[in-house]
Amino acid sequence: SNLLKTTVMSFEIETSPVVRKNYPVLAKAAGKLGSLQIRNLATIGGNICSARPAGDTIGALIACGAAVQITSSKGVRNEPIETIFKGPGQTTIGKNELLTGITLKKPVSNTGSSYIKYGVRNAMEIAMVSVTSLVTIEGGVCKSARVVMGAVGPTFVQCTKVEEFLVGKPISESVAEKAGQLALDAAHLRNSLRASAEYRRNLIQVLVKRSLLEAASEVKSN
């Protein structure tokens, strides 16, 4: 496993040759965060602790199987990153605790990734829906997958039904389309000022399909 310091800036993650080689989806996500000026100040630890359902790097970290290191005067505890979020702006990190590190699983070969966030602007945008996909392909079929959605509920959602459905299948147009429909079951949608629930439903189907095809094509191109 590999340890990432929480004080690392988003811009450093976006441009790091090591991250781009081993965890390209994290580099892609970090590159979509705010503006260049913000990425030169915003740390990955801050992005996690703000616990926003549309946070850019959180979906990628969940997809990469990240665990967080939380330190207090009593010692250190480690938790899978997805278990620390209680709701918008809320985590399980206590008043006397600090997020001190992020551990990432070793990368697996023949894996492609995609991070898509949908918004109405090209920059400084908060996602209406985001989808992070990681697919490992062997012998033309999916061996394992991670599909994580953001801004579709109070916390990030991992689509386990979609992941199980994909295993053993080639990631074709029709398979990716079916995966997009299955992803709807995992969402907790409601109308908001930024988008209606119905609009987000349409986005989920389109973006999950697009994200999976993008991730699969990355494996073929390598």
Side-chain angles (χ1 to χ4, degrees):
S1 63
N2 301 300
L3 188 69
L4 191 64
K5 288 182 179 175
T6 53
T7 51
V8 174
M9 257 47 115
S10 298
F11 180 71
E12 293 174 273
I13 293 167
E14 177 191 0
T15 55
S16 161
V18 176
V19 176
R20 288 169 79 139
K21 179 175 183 282
N22 296 301
Y23 308 101
V25 76
L26 184 55
K28 290 171 194 172
K32 296 276 177 75
L33 192 152
S35 64
L36 185 58
Q37 292 92 327
I38 288 170
R39 292 198 293 278
N40 271 302
L41 289 171
T43 64
I44 192 160
N47 205 223
I48 294 166
C49 291
S50 63
R52 297 292 163 218
D56 282 298
T57 60
I58 295 170
L61 289 167
I62 295 171
C64 291
V68 291
Q69 194 181 75
I70 298 163
T71 306
S72 71
S73 56
K74 293 174 185 171
V76 178
R77 64 185 172 95
N78 292 286
E79 263 193 67
I81 188 167
E82 59 270 26
T83 66
I84 71 165
F85 301 109
K86 297 195 294 185
Q90 297 176 303
T91 70
T92 61
I93 301 167
K95 285 180 182 175
N96 301 317
E97 294 182 316
L98 281 174
L99 179 69
T100 49
I102 304 147
T103 311
L104 295 164
K105 284 185 178 175
K106 286 183 178 170
V108 179
S109 57
N110 299 320
T111 298
S113 63
S114 163
Y115 174 68
I116 298 174
K117 84 189 257 193
Y118 182 85
V120 292
R121 298 184 302 187
N122 289 327
M124 298 288 288
E125 181 57 287
I126 300 166
M128 278 184 198
V129 170
S130 71
V131 180
T132 308
S133 296
L134 228 67
V135 294
T136 303
I137 296 172
E138 284 181 16
V141 298
C142 178
K143 189 188 173 195
S144 68
R146 302 274 280 198
V147 179
V148 183
M149 299 189 295
V152 298
T155 59
F156 273 74
V157 172
Q158 188 177 341
C159 304
T160 47
K161 277 187 185 173
V162 173
E163 295 167 355
E164 288 161 10
F165 163 75
L166 291 169
V167 173
K169 297 181 179 73
I171 298 185
S172 61
E173 282 271 336
S174 58
V175 167
E177 180 130 0
K178 173 72 173 153
Q181 291 162 5
L182 281 174
L184 287 173
D185 294 340
H188 310 284
L189 299 172
R190 58 185 179 82
N191 293 327
S192 73
L193 289 171
R194 300 184 59 248
S196 69
E198 192 52 42
Y199 187 61
R200 281 195 166 102
R201 283 178 67 82
N202 292 329
L203 279 178
I204 286 168
Q205 291 182 76
V206 171
L207 297 186
V208 168
K209 176 185 176 181
R210 191 182 297 168
S211 181
L212 286 168
L213 291 172
E214 201 173 272
S217 71
E218 197 176 84
V219 182
K220 289 169 192 163
S221 64
N222 290 342

